[in-house]
Each structure stands twice: as C-alpha cells, then as structure tokens.
C-alpha cells in the first residue's frame, strides 16, 4: 500500500495547470461576451427605437389604419421579440447586454444551444463560428480536467478514510455515495427551487429545465430570463452560468467513474479467464487437486483492478 504522504502530491501537481486553464477559459468567455455585446447591442438599440416610433405612429393615426401598415407592424413585433424586445412595459429583455452576452457565450461553448437567441449581424455570425470552433474544444478540456480533479479528490478522501478506519472498501463506497449525493443535491435538486422563486415555474418545470440544460439537450422551451413581466436580479444569469459549468463538470466526474468501472470490470474478467484457463490446463495435465482459493480471488482483484487515470 502506498504511504499516506505520497497521496496528496499528485493532487497538488494538477492545480497550477488547471488554474491556468480555468483562467484562459474565463478570459475566452469574457472576450466572446465583449464581442457579442459590441456587435449585437447597437442593432438591439436601433430595433428598440424603430419599434417605439412605429408604435406611437400607430396610436396617433389609428383612425386611418391600413392593412399593410398593421401587417408591417406585426412583422416588426415578431422580429423584435425574437431579438429580445417586448412591446409592453420594458421594451428590452436585455439579451444582448454584457450579462446576456456572457450567458450566450456559455450556452454556445457548452453546446447547449437553446435556440431562442442567435446572432443577427453577418459579422457576429462569422465571429460565432470561430468562437465556437475554438471554444468548444477548450470547454471540453476544462470540463474533463475539473472532472479529473473531482475524481482525484474522491479517491483522496477514500484513501485517507481507508487508512484511518482500516476499512478501504467501506471508505470507497461511503465516499462515492457522499460525492454523488452532494452533486445530485447541488446540481439537480436545489436549482429548481431558485427557478421557482425567480422564474415562477413549478418545481417539476425547474427540474426539467435543469436536466435538459445539464444534459446539453437544450430544447429551448424553458429558458431563464425570458419573462418580460418579471424583473431579474443582475447576478441571476451569472450564477446560472457557473451552475452550468460546474454541473457539466460533475457529469464529467460521473463519466470518469463509469469509464473506471468499465475498465476495472474488463480487467477483472480478463483475470478470471486467465485463472480458469490455468485450472483447465492443470486438469488436462492430470492434476485434479487444483482449485481457486479465496486468497487467489483477492490477489486477482488487488493486482488487476486499479484506479484508472485519465490523462
């Protein structure tokens, strides 16, 4: 068994590179947010002014309203709503302010793609192509790295608990149970309560949105910050963006766990096949006293089942 002093060394070595990667990732998101903000917000302001002008022209001249004018206004209302504008009350939903642009950047690089918001100008559409081209791989690398760190943290806790209580298997089961339960609570069970308070959804609708978002399905039937009759706090979209990032990292942890289980199971099957082959070979050679003792099974498990490292 490896001495306890050697266990945290690997954990410490992974932190500097991951911190640098996280800084690069956030810088990339901020750069994309600033670009979308600069490219899309002028058009949003122009559409707001045009919509207000046509609205008041219609109210002043409704007695001589023509069919073509009404259809033209309706088309403008539809186009404006798709871009985040609303005729009643506040005319802008703030989709392309900096906070909204940051949320769009997160939904782009995480490939969620709700479909309720997209670039309208040609320049921003071209920029979006290159932003996603480099942002998606960077996002996958970061999520995999955070997932590995989480996995290493779980292994570290299980290692120290096993050494302290002299019960390695129970420590592993207990640690993984706590890690999975905490992730389930933080990323799937508690967020719907926030959406219930701020969005006015039911708990079931909030849970549905949480799952559809973290699974990157992104239907777009439920999207935060889209109700024009509600006033949203400034921190709301930023908190949801962080929730998406770490929620996807938690899913990466589950993926790493599944890979570990599959590869360990494969090693166990190969070990059992080798033992069975050896027994059959000995029996064919006339040695009927060969059996597989529990000590051999334990030895097989210790030698062939090892933690999987995903570098």
């Amino acid at each position: 068994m490896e001495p306890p002093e050697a266990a945290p060394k690997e954990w410490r070595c992974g932190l500097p590179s991951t911190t640098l990667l996280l800084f690069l990732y956030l810088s990339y998101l901020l750069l994309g947010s600033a670009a979308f903000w600069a490219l899309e917000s002028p058009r949003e302001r122009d559409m707001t002014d045009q919509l207000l002008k046509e609205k008041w022209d219609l109210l002043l001249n409704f007695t001589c309203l023509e069919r073509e004018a009404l259809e033209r206004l309706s088309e403008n209302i539809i186009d404006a709503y798709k871009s985040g504008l609303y005729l009643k009350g506040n005319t802008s939903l703030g989709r392309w302010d900096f906070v909204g642009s940051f949320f769009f950047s997160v939904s782009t690089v995480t490939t969620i793609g709700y479909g309720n918001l997209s670039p309208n100008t040609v320049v921003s559409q071209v920029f979006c192509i290159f932003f996603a081209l480099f942002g998606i791989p960077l996002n996958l690398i970061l999520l995999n790295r955070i997932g590995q760190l989480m996995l290493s943290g779980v292994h570290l806790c299980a290692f120290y608990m096993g050494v302290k209580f002299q019960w390695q298997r129970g420590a592993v089961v207990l640690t993984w149970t706590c890690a999975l339960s905490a992730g389930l609570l933080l990323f799937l069970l508690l967020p719907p309560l926030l959406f219930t308070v701020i969005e006015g959804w039911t708990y079931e609708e909030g849970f549905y949105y949480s799952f559809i978002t973290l699974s990157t399905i992104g239907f777009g039937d439920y999207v935060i910050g889209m109700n024009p009759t509600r006033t949203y706090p400034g921190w709301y979209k930023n908190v949801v963006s962080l929730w998406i990032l770490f929620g996807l990292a938690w899913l990466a942890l589950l993926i790493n766990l599944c890979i570990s289980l599959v590869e360990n199971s494969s090693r166990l099957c190969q070990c059992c096949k080798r033992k069975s082959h050896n027994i059959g070979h000995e029996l064919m050679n006339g040695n009927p006293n060969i059996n597989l003792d529990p000590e051999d099974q334990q030895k097989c498990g210790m030698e062939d089942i090892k933690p999987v490292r995903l570098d």
Side-chain angles (χ1 to χ4, degrees):
M1 179 179 294
E2 188 179 2
E5 292 77 13
K9 183 178 180 180
E10 178 185 346
W11 174 260
R12 292 194 299 266
C13 292
L15 289 179
S17 60
T18 304
T19 304
L20 180 61
L21 183 62
L22 179 61
F23 176 79
L24 178 62
Y25 180 83
L26 292 177
S27 300
Y28 190 83
L29 287 178
L30 292 175
L31 177 63
S33 303
F36 288 120
W37 180 29
L39 294 172
E40 289 292 335
S41 59
R43 187 175 186 273
E44 184 181 46
R45 289 193 296 268
D46 294 338
M47 291 185 65
T48 302
D49 296 336
Q50 181 182 356
L51 182 62
L52 287 175
K53 182 178 182 302
E54 292 187 8
K55 172 185 175 181
W56 289 113
D57 289 343
L58 177 67
L59 293 176
L60 293 174
N61 301 288
F62 70 96
T63 55
C64 57
L65 181 64
E66 297 180 357
R67 179 179 178 181
E68 291 78 9
L70 180 60
E71 290 179 352
R72 185 169 60 253
L73 178 62
S74 300
E75 292 175 357
N76 290 334
I77 291 175
I78 294 174
D79 292 339
Y81 184 78
K82 290 180 178 179
S83 299
L85 308 179
Y86 191 67
L87 190 61
K88 293 178 63 177
N90 296 327
T91 57
S92 177
L93 295 178
R95 294 188 188 178
W96 287 115
D97 57 12
F98 188 81
V99 175
S101 299
F102 183 82
F103 185 75
F104 173 77
S105 300
V106 172
S107 64
T108 298
V109 299
T110 54
T111 68
I112 294 176
Y114 291 110
N116 67 308
L117 185 63
S118 59
N120 294 309
T121 61
V122 177
V123 178
S124 61
Q125 288 174 350
V126 173
F127 175 80
C128 184
I129 294 175
F130 290 97
F131 179 75
L133 183 64
F134 295 100
I136 292 175
L138 178 61
N139 177 76
L140 294 176
I141 293 173
L142 177 65
L143 292 182
N144 184 56
R145 183 63 62 84
I146 295 178
Q148 288 181 13
L149 286 178
M150 289 181 176
L151 184 63
S152 299
V154 173
H155 286 165
L156 189 67
C157 292
F159 174 79
Y160 280 121
M161 289 182 62
V163 172
K164 183 176 181 179
F165 298 103
Q166 299 297 321
W167 189 31
Q168 190 64 40
R169 181 175 299 179
V172 170
V173 173
L174 179 61
T175 304
W176 273 109
T177 301
C178 293
L180 296 179
S181 300
L184 185 65
L185 184 67
L186 289 176
F187 300 115
L188 284 179
L189 297 181
L190 289 182
L193 298 177
L194 177 65
F195 302 139
T196 300
V197 173
I198 297 183
E199 298 288 347
W201 298 340
T202 64
Y203 183 85
E204 292 77 11
E205 291 172 336
F207 185 83
Y208 168 78
Y209 169 77
S210 300
F211 176 79
I212 294 300
T213 296
L214 294 185
S215 61
T216 68
I217 297 175
F219 288 128
D221 48 352
Y222 288 90
V223 183
I224 64 166
M226 296 300 298
N227 192 341
T229 63
R230 290 182 172 268
T231 301
Y232 296 100
W235 51 264
Y236 179 51
K237 287 187 177 180
N238 293 329
V239 170
V240 174
S241 299
L242 293 177
W243 165 72
I244 292 175
L245 175 62
F246 286 98
L248 292 177
W250 177 66
L251 289 181
L253 171 64
L254 295 183
I255 293 174
N256 285 336
L257 172 62
C258 293
I259 293 175
S260 299
L261 292 177
V262 170
E263 297 214 358
N264 287 337
S265 299
S266 176
R267 290 192 180 97
L268 179 60
C269 292
Q270 292 176 2
C271 176
C272 293
K273 288 181 180 179
R274 288 198 303 269
K275 295 295 183 181
S276 299
H277 177 74
N278 293 336
I279 293 174
H281 182 70
E282 293 294 335
L283 289 174
M284 291 179 63
N285 290 337
N287 186 3
N289 297 321
I290 297 297
N291 60 348
L292 185 60
D293 295 331
E295 295 179 356
D296 295 331
Q297 296 178 2
Q298 185 177 4
K299 182 179 179 181
C300 175
M302 294 297 293
E303 291 180 352
D304 291 274
I305 302 178
K306 300 177 182 178
V308 175
R309 282 185 46 80
L310 299 176
D311 295 326

